[in-house]
Amino acid sequence: QRKARAGDGTNRPPLQVFDRVECDAHKLDARMVVMVPSPHGGSEPRKIHRLWVVAIIEVVSRAVLGYHLSLRRECSAEDVLRAIKRALTQWTPREIQFSGNAYADGAGLPSYRSTRYIGACWNEFSVDGALANICARVERPLNEVIGARVLKPQDPDSYSIRRSRDDRPFIESFF
């Protein structure tokens, strides 16, 4: 019965490119140690409990616009803001030291493939309702700077339901 309330998407308006993006964080439970450079010289071990991947996907093209990797125990508004910033700035391939073929030929996010996607804003930012996504620290810049409306389950007129995979199918299937 709960899933039936989410609807099947048939009555939603058709979207143009950059009308809506979906954002979500996915955690990888792993225990690892990262060697962090010390200001006193050398490096110090830092235990990592989780790796969070925050991604933003454009709905029509299914392109990943930006992402952020967080080493925190819980995903925060800062992590979401960093993913948004990366979605609006030019992506460049990182220098990979463990492999000579980490990127496939022609690979890259849209902002790397064409400069016209640098700073391209969207109209709607669809999230699952987690506090890191909907707090004023995230919602205010989305509304005032980007001009995007946050689609969240907490809104009374929203079609979405918290933790429903039907509301943001593209980011959920990506993870």
Side-chain angles (χ1 to χ4, degrees):
Q1 182 181 14
R2 183 181 65 83
K3 287 240 235 216
R5 285 192 306 242
D8 59 4
T10 57
N11 294 325
R12 294 184 189 175
L15 298 171
Q16 300 294 319
V17 177
F18 285 94
D19 271 350
R20 180 180 298 152
V21 297
E22 295 178 353
C23 177
D24 201 5
H26 182 73
K27 71 178 175 181
L28 303 172
D29 283 322
R31 303 296 183 257
M32 62 188 100
V33 174
V34 176
M35 300 303 286
V36 178
S38 171
H40 309 292
S43 57
E44 299 174 4
R46 180 175 172 197
K47 186 191 287 186
I48 306 299
H49 298 277
R50 287 187 177 139
L51 177 65
W52 286 93
V53 180
V54 182
I56 299 174
I57 293 181
E58 199 281 318
V59 170
V60 174
S61 67
R62 313 293 196 270
V64 175
L65 301 180
Y67 64 92
H68 174 67
L69 300 176
S70 174
L71 303 177
R72 302 173 195 241
R73 285 187 185 257
E74 294 298 326
C75 189
S76 70
E78 179 73 24
D79 299 324
V80 175
L81 288 170
R82 287 180 186 215
I84 292 169
K85 179 181 178 182
R86 288 196 173 167
L88 296 171
T89 56
Q90 186 172 22
W91 179 85
T92 55
R94 294 180 181 253
E95 182 180 329
I96 306 295
Q97 298 179 12
F98 59 84
S99 173
N101 58 356
Y103 296 105
D105 291 335
L109 300 185
S111 61
Y112 177 69
R113 305 302 305 154
S114 174
T115 57
R116 71 183 216 181
Y117 296 114
I118 299 171
C121 296
W122 47 85
N123 298 324
E124 296 177 334
F125 189 74
S126 184
V127 296
D128 64 356
L131 188 56
N133 296 327
I134 63 162
C135 67
R137 188 164 177 224
V138 171
E139 196 165 355
R140 189 175 304 113
L142 276 169
N143 192 353
E144 294 174 3
V145 177
I146 297 174
R149 180 173 71 109
V150 178
L151 300 177
K152 56 187 176 182
Q154 288 83 346
D155 288 340
D157 59 342
S158 177
Y159 57 81
S160 62
I161 296 173
R162 185 153 161 73
R163 300 196 192 283
S164 170
R165 294 176 194 242
D166 296 334
D167 296 328
R168 294 168 306 104
F170 309 111
I171 193 79
E172 292 293 343
S173 63
F174 173 75
F175 285 127

